[in-house]
Amino acid sequence: MDILEGLNGPQKEAVTTTDGPLLIIAGAGSGKTRVLTHRIAYLINVKKVSPYNILAITFTNKAASEMKDRVEKLLNASVKNMWISTFHSACVRILRDGAERLGYKRSFVIYDTSDSISLIRSCLKELNLDPKYYEPKGLLHTISRAKDSLMDPDTFEKETANDFRSKNVASIYREYQRRLKQLNAMDFDDLIMKTVELFKVHEDFLLQYQNMFRYILVDEYQDTNRAQYELIKILSKRYNNICVVGDDDQSIYGFRGADIRNILDFERDFPNAKVIKLEQNYRSTQKILNAANNLIAHNKGRKGKKLWTEYEGGPDIVLYKAEDERMEARYVVSSIIDLINRGYSSSDIVILYRTNAQSRAFEEELAQYQIGYRVVGSLRFYERKEIKDIMSYLRVIQDPSDEVSLLRIINEPSRGIGEKTIEQLTEYARSNGISLYEAAKFAGDTDLSARQVKGVLSFVNIMDQLISFKDDVSISALVELVLQKTGYLEILKSENTPESESRIENLNEFIGAAKEFEKDNPDLVLEDFLANLALVSDIDSLEDGEGVVMMTVHSAKGLEFPVVFMVGMEDGLFPISRALDNDEDMEEERRLCYVAVTRAKERLIMTYARTRNLYGRTMVCIPSRFIKEIDIPDFAKEPFKKRSMSVEEPGKVASSKEKYAVGMKVMHKMWGSGIIVQVKDMGSDKELAIVFQSVGLKRLSANIAPLKVEEG
DNA sequence: ACTCTTGGAGTTTTT
DNA sequence: CTCCAAGAGT
């Protein structure tokens, strides 16, 4: 098979220019992933490069596994051991190899954001600083940015202002790093920073990896931060075969430390670099691309490119002015009903907003008309309490000296171990130079009351038992044992609320993830599972399914939909108020808007409201400046039938897989649990009458209502 | 140690 | 308005 078949001119050139620095500017929908995967295949099949000499880096696990799949298909061979991974996973792999040179144990644990925040809280306590004036979240952000720029605490102290507060922030950073090392832990930013440090200090170690990674590819280069830039710069220095792919117009993570200068200055940083632009778009109509091109032309800090397509036709872009946010939601939902009547599937449609809080009005309106929907990413899987709890249990089983995790679960579920008890145990641990967990074992020797000792020992007993099971049972079985022995599951079951049910569901999903991990990696153990888990967080990322999709513009990056609604197009909301008086922020907002526009394949509908309730006050809004900037004569006035709320022809709507019957218990997304009291046959659909605990009797369509049948 | 009340804040978030 | 976190009260 010819690897170059079906590629356009610039794409071909991007695939075959294998040696030397190469920057590929890949516009939205220009076949970027295609180029990357074909390039890897070309290196291996045509250039006879060993797969082990290639390092391909992406930003998300999803992107990495997608790339792996596609390369495997192209090569018709497994690439399981190839280095196609995220920055973070690649660094973990390197650090497991070299952490000992930095004074960490090979088995270091990875802290996620909330672990880091708890640790900062504990540092503040240690330093006697008030969390009111030193907000842990803000501190983590500051520290994180420092690490993104490769500033250690000493450099940080020198580089920042010489005032009292900054000095304290520097000492918090120093204390935080000291504690992390003591706990044998690294946070997300350490993974990159420490890898760079390792390479800078140990030349032999660096040489080994430089020789290994003779060809380096980086995806989403516009989103790299300083540390990531240094990492690839240092790794590619010997062979100089560095290919980066990105779109400066889609850099939207500046607030997380992404530095757009990395892509803008690539040619300066890597002399003799070749630049290839991919401007032909295979996704959207020309009308949508015109809007995108017009908008982004208002940015100054960019390389400049113009997307084009062979698809000239397409419907006009729609602009709708609503009286307020409720009317906005009504218009959007009535348009959705109309589109479904015309044959679109609900899953073809996405509602994009700037802030998560905006989803509410649309959820309510969609639920009212029984249209299924999915909200993406407001609360992520690994941030849920029950998942954090089970993860903490597993971490303590793996390493009882992991104090942050221990503190999280020592009284979860409640066993009467309160603040006082923990304080005394910590004191005992300090004065005897032992870990908190060991101190708990000796609870009987402390001056705790009999009741306190009982609680602590019952916890230690359960944990010791679980630890003894660790090496003998599978990971998923261990998870189930934890849930059972600690009584965690039982307590959730007895609560019997929609909330507890969903927690149980999440825990089952977690067990499922553990089983999958065992299947994919039969030779790996709990330690590996935990390391993997800290980095794989988007278990509930968008899967194929039915229902209108709702998400922030940020989470929409990389996705495409036939129909895109961009809502809340008002100055102060999008662009967000904080960007109004800052040119740099405004340009990032504009790029964000560009990302939103370029998600649309066929139809783009923008809406704004004249007034909007914000924090209980009614605000008068002005239309987003981006609407003017898009400046196209193609805006249609009233393209949809006004408020046609009835669905005469269901069109291509969700088919109900479940069979409903009177007496069944069901769960509704909005209204919680209810019981079916009547089922009416309506041809291809069924009308269900359901009595909900929360709202009483409702009549819903079986085909489109977001319902789940409860067991039993 | 748990529950209720009050107050303060309220973008985005691939790892 | 509405969600959380910290403080007071039981």
Side-chain angles (χ1 to χ4, degrees), chain A residues 10 71 73 137 147-148 178 196 218 225 237 403 605 666:
Chain A
V71 171
K73 281 210 181 93
K137 228 166 125 190
K147 289 181 176 180
D148 288 344
R178 192 186 68 78
V196 173
V218 184
N225 59 38
K237 206 167 178 185
E403 207 170 284
I605 301 101
V666 292

Side-chain angles (χ1 to χ4, degrees), chain A residues 379-562:
Chain A
L379 186 59
R380 276 173 305 165
F381 191 74
Y382 80 107
E383 278 170 5
R384 286 160 217 234
K385 182 183 180 301
E386 62 277 15
I387 300 302
K388 295 246 41 166
D389 286 343
I390 183 68
M391 279 171 66
S392 294
Y393 268 106
L394 293 178
R395 282 182 180 180
V396 175
I397 290 167
Q398 173 62 35
D399 177 10
S401 67
D402 182 341
E403 207 170 284
V404 172
S405 302
L406 178 62
L407 288 174
R408 187 182 172 95
I409 47 122
I410 193 163
N411 199 34
E412 189 64 60
S414 172
R415 352 180 134 77
I417 304 174
E419 205 181 334
K420 259 262 140 52
T421 315
I422 288 167
E423 211 171 275
Q424 282 170 272
L425 276 178
T426 310
E427 185 50 45
Y428 185 82
R430 288 280 143 79
S431 55
N432 290 285
I434 56 177
S435 73
L436 186 59
Y437 187 77
E438 285 169 306
K441 283 189 172 185
F442 297 121
D445 302 350
T446 63
D447 40 8
L448 291 169
S449 73
R451 207 166 88 190
Q452 287 172 311
V453 171
K454 201 179 154 210
V456 173
L457 286 184
S458 80
F459 171 72
V460 172
N461 269 339
I462 294 169
M463 291 313 288
D464 276 345
Q465 210 181 346
L466 289 167
I467 290 168
S468 73
F469 289 145
K470 188 191 110 182
D471 296 320
D472 301 327
V473 301
S474 70
I475 299 164
S476 57
L478 188 63
V479 173
E480 289 182 82
L481 278 167
V482 171
L483 294 176
Q484 185 206 328
K485 298 266 173 202
T486 59
Y488 200 102
L489 198 61
E490 205 173 322
I491 286 166
L492 279 181
K493 275 184 179 156
S494 67
E495 271 176 38
N496 204 21
T497 60
E499 205 196 342
S500 67
E501 308 257 323
S502 108
R503 291 207 160 146
I504 293 171
E505 211 170 282
N506 288 334
L507 288 167
N508 283 330
E509 202 175 318
F510 186 83
I511 294 169
K515 283 190 175 145
E516 198 164 313
F517 181 84
E518 288 158 12
K519 211 179 84 197
D520 293 346
N521 314 281
D523 45 337
L524 295 186
V525 292
L526 178 63
E527 187 181 339
D528 305 294
F529 178 66
L530 287 173
N532 178 269
L533 213 57
L535 299 173
V536 180
S537 49
D538 50 354
I539 300 178
D540 65 343
S541 66
L542 188 63
E543 285 156 34
D544 290 341
E546 279 305 326
V548 174
V549 181
M550 277 186 263
M551 62 175 106
T552 63
V553 182
H554 280 92
S555 6
K557 200 172 102 173
L559 305 175
E560 57 177 36
F561 294 85

